[in-house]
């Protein structure tokens, strides 16, 4: 069953057109977001005396920028991404270090997670998530045989991901750190990594993350609320 669920390398396929259902889903979600921002921000904008459509206009501008960047990303060749995947992971470290520099990094309620771009703040982890996926995918393509048969094949990506997670915990950004951990474990599994190795890594990583979670009261409250919500949904 494990071998069926894990990814397997397939022959190269020609570039296909944009999937209509994905495009429709993205447009639908974006439209719902616009309606929600419009309905919830007009009263707040009027109280702040910035004009009733201030937040809606700002949201639409960022939505347009995101759409443009998404189209560019769609047009980028996968071989180009693989070629520059190591540069991207170096960029991830740079972004996570920039948040600690005075004048560049922005602190909000004790957390340093944002980079000041002048017109707006940018949360570094949002780019780091994408860069890490590209890096890990490229690494697993180059070292697929080693990954599937040796623990050494997963040590290097684990060290890279662990260093990024450490920088996130220093900000602190516990949620981002958990997400990077899940991304790393999921990609190792999809690339054909051994279940034995994954279980061993989980036995090491989970107690460390549990300690980090229990070290701050607000994290304990968040975990309690998340557990309650999941339990209620079930």
């Amino acid at each position: 069953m494990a071998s069926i669920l894990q990814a397997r390398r397939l022959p190269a396929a020609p570039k296909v057109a944009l999937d209509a259902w994905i495009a429709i889903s993205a447009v639908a979600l974006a439209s719902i977001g616009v309606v929600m921002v419009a309905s919830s921000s007009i009263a707040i904008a009027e109280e702040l005396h910035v004009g009733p459509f201030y937040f809606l206009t700002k949201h639409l501008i960022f939505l347009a920028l995101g759409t443009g960047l998404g189209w560019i990303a769609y047009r980028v060749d996968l071989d180009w991404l693989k070629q520059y995947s190591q540069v991207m992971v170096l960029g991830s470290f740079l972004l996570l270090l920039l948040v600690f520099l005075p004048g560049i990094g922005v602190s909000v309620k004790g957390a340093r997670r944002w980079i000041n771009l002048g017109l707006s703040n940018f949360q570094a982890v949002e780019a780091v998530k994408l860069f890490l996926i590209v890096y890990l995918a490229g690494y697993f393509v180059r070292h697929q045989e080693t990954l599937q048969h040796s623990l050494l094949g997963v040590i290097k990506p684990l060290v890279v991901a662990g260093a990024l997670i450490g920088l996130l915990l220093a900000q602190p950004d516990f949620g981002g750190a958990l997400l990077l951990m899940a991304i790393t474990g999921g990609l190792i599994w999809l690339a054909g990594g051994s279940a034995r190795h994954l279980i061993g890594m989980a036995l090491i990583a989970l107690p460390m993350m549990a300690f980090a979670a229990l070290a701050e009261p607000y994290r304990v409250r968040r975990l309690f609320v998340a557990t309650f919500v999941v339990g209620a949904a079930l």
Side-chain angles (χ1 to χ4, degrees):
M1 178 62 70
S3 61
I4 296 175
L5 296 177
Q6 290 175 319
R8 286 293 178 264
R9 185 179 298 178
L10 299 175
K15 188 175 182 63
V16 296
L18 182 66
D19 188 287
W21 287 109
I22 293 179
I24 292 172
S25 300
V27 171
L29 288 172
S31 301
I32 293 172
V34 169
V35 173
M36 293 179 67
V37 170
S39 62
S40 62
S41 65
I42 291 178
I44 298 175
E46 289 181 339
E47 289 181 1
L48 297 175
H49 305 290
V50 293
F53 302 109
Y54 172 81
F55 293 107
L56 176 61
T57 302
K58 188 175 181 180
H59 178 74
L60 290 174
I61 291 173
F62 283 116
L63 184 61
L65 291 174
T67 302
L69 291 174
W71 178 253
I72 293 173
Y74 168 70
R75 303 296 300 176
V76 171
D77 188 78
L78 293 180
D79 289 333
W80 185 90
L81 290 176
K82 185 168 63 175
Q83 180 181 356
Y84 290 97
S85 60
Q86 294 178 329
V87 176
M88 292 181 183
V89 79
L90 291 176
S92 298
F93 283 102
L94 177 61
L95 288 172
L96 293 181
L97 289 172
L98 284 177
V99 301
F100 296 104
L101 293 181
I104 298 179
V106 177
S107 177
V108 178
K109 296 183 179 181
R112 303 190 67 89
R113 306 174 187 174
W114 295 268
I115 296 174
N116 184 8
L117 298 180
L119 296 177
S120 179
N121 295 331
F122 174 71
Q123 192 168 3
V125 71
E126 298 301 329
V128 171
K129 289 184 290 188
L130 296 176
F131 291 167
L132 180 63
I133 291 172
V134 172
Y135 167 74
L136 291 177
Y139 176 87
F140 294 149
V141 168
R142 295 190 300 270
H143 303 279
Q144 189 175 33
E145 293 299 324
T146 306
L147 169 71
Q148 294 177 348
H149 301 99
S150 173
L151 180 60
L152 294 176
V154 300
I155 288 180
K156 181 178 179 179
L158 283 179
V159 170
V160 172
L164 293 173
I165 290 171
L167 289 174
L168 284 173
L169 290 176
Q171 291 180 1
D173 185 358
F174 184 71
L178 282 179
L179 185 57
L180 288 196
M181 180 182 295
I183 287 172
T184 303
L187 286 179
I188 290 174
W189 171 252
L190 287 174
S194 169
R196 183 177 68 255
H197 295 160
L198 284 172
I199 293 173
M201 290 183 290
L203 292 176
I204 296 174
L206 290 179
M208 297 172 61
M209 298 305 291
F211 175 79
L214 296 175
E216 295 290 344
Y218 77 92
R219 293 174 185 166
V220 177
R221 290 194 296 270
R222 285 185 178 180
L223 289 173
F224 176 78
V225 171
T227 303
F228 176 80
V229 170
V230 172
L234 295 177

